[in-house]
Amino acid sequence: AELLGGDIEGSLIGDYGGGQSTIYSKQLHWRYVFDSTRVITSASIGNLYSNGLNQYDFRGIQISNEPVQLRRLFGGYSFSETVHPGWETELYMNGERIGYSRANALGSVHFNIPLIYGTSYLQLKSYGPSGQYHEYARRIQIPFTLIPKGEFDYTINAGKLTNSNSDLVQADAAYGFTGWLTDRIGIDYLQSPLINKPIPYNWLTMRIGAPYIISLKTAPSLLYEASLSAIYPSQASLDFTFDRYEANRLYNPSHR
C-alpha cells in the first residue's frame, strides 16, 4: 500500500484458540523511492534482510543506490563467427530472430546484440546459394553479481537483529570494471560474543568467454570460497565449488 509518498509492505498474522488470541507483523517495512538521482535510489525502515556474508533478519534502516527494479539488460555483446563467403546468416536469441547479415569475402559475419541477465542461447543459421545449411550455437551466462561497466552500487544496513536484539551494521559496494569483471567489497559488524569485531570481505565475479563464470569470495581468517560454472550449447554443464571455513562458531557453526 502507498503511505507518505512511499510504499509499505508486510503481513499481519494472527491466530485464535483456547480462548486466547495473538497477532503480530512479519517483514513489515516502509520504503521511499528517489526517482531523480542515482546517488540514492531507495531508503527503507522496518523489518528487513541484510545482504552481507550472512543474511540476517533485522529491524532498522537500509539505504541503497541499486536499481529499484532488477536489471534486465546487462549491455552490448559483439558476436562474430566465420562461415562460408557470401552465405546469408540469421542470428536468433532464445528462439527469436534478432539479426540478419551476409558473410563477406572472408566468410566473416558480425553482430552487435543486447545481453540480458540469465542464460542466453544464441543460434547462427547460415544458408548457402545451393540450399546448403549450417548452424552454430553458443550459450552466454550473465549472473546478477555482474553489473554493467562503469556502474557503482552500494547498500548500507543498520539496526537490531530480530531474534536477539544485537547490533548489526553492514555495508557493501560493487563496481563494474569491465563487461566481464565486477568487484564487491564490504564490511560486516555483528554484536556477538563469538566474534565482536568488523569483518571485511571481497567478492570478485568474472565472466571468461561465453560460458564460464568464476566467483572468488574471501573474508580473511574466516572463509574462502571459489566457484567455476559453465553451460554449453549442448545443455552440458559444469560446476565446481571450493569452500574453506576457518574455526569460528558464528560463520562456521558446523565446524566443516
Side-chain angles (χ1 to χ4, degrees), residues 13 24 27 30 43 50 94 105 110 114 142 145 147 149 155 161 164 171 208 215 219 223 235 247:
I13 302 174
Y24 61 93
Q27 289 307 116
W30 176 81
S50 68
N94 299 328
H110 180 81
I142 304 295
T145 50
I147 63 176
K149 178 182 178 180
T155 301
L161 292 184
S164 66
I208 307 299
S215 176
L223 66 89
Q235 295 287 1

Side-chain angles (χ1 to χ4, degrees), residues 41-131:
T41 56
S42 66
S44 302
I45 187 170
N47 285 32
L48 304 162
Y49 285 110
S50 68
N51 55 338
L53 285 173
N54 283 348
Q55 190 177 67
Y56 294 102
D57 190 353
F58 75 101
R59 301 182 310 275
I61 187 170
Q62 181 181 85
I63 298 173
S64 179
N65 78 329
E66 294 189 11
V68 177
Q69 296 181 334
L70 285 177
R71 292 184 173 99
R72 291 195 69 254
L73 182 65
F74 176 73
Y77 178 66
S78 180
F79 181 86
S80 300
E81 192 63 77
T82 300
V83 300
H84 294 281
W87 281 31
E88 297 181 347
T89 58
E90 297 175 327
L91 181 62
Y92 291 78
M93 175 183 283
N94 299 328
E96 180 180 351
R97 175 174 155 167
I98 61 171
Y100 168 84
S101 181
R102 184 185 296 273
N104 61 23
L106 299 177
S108 298
V109 288
H110 180 81
F111 297 93
N112 288 314
I113 62 175
L115 272 186
I116 59 175
Y117 281 91
T119 301
S120 297
Y121 181 49
L122 299 179
Q123 294 171 287
L124 188 68
K125 300 180 179 181
S126 296
Y127 305 91
S130 303

Side-chain angles (χ1 to χ4, degrees), residues 8-12 25-30 45-48 58:
I8 188 168
E9 181 180 355
S11 59
L12 292 176
S25 64
K26 185 176 182 181
Q27 289 307 116
L28 186 66
H29 61 273
W30 176 81
I45 187 170
N47 285 32
L48 304 162
F58 75 101

Side-chain angles (χ1 to χ4, degrees), residues 141 206-214 228-232 238:
Q141 293 189 87
M206 295 178 286
R207 179 171 63 89
I208 307 299
Y212 297 99
I213 301 296
I214 296 175
L228 168 67
S229 65
I231 183 169
Y232 303 97
L238 169 69

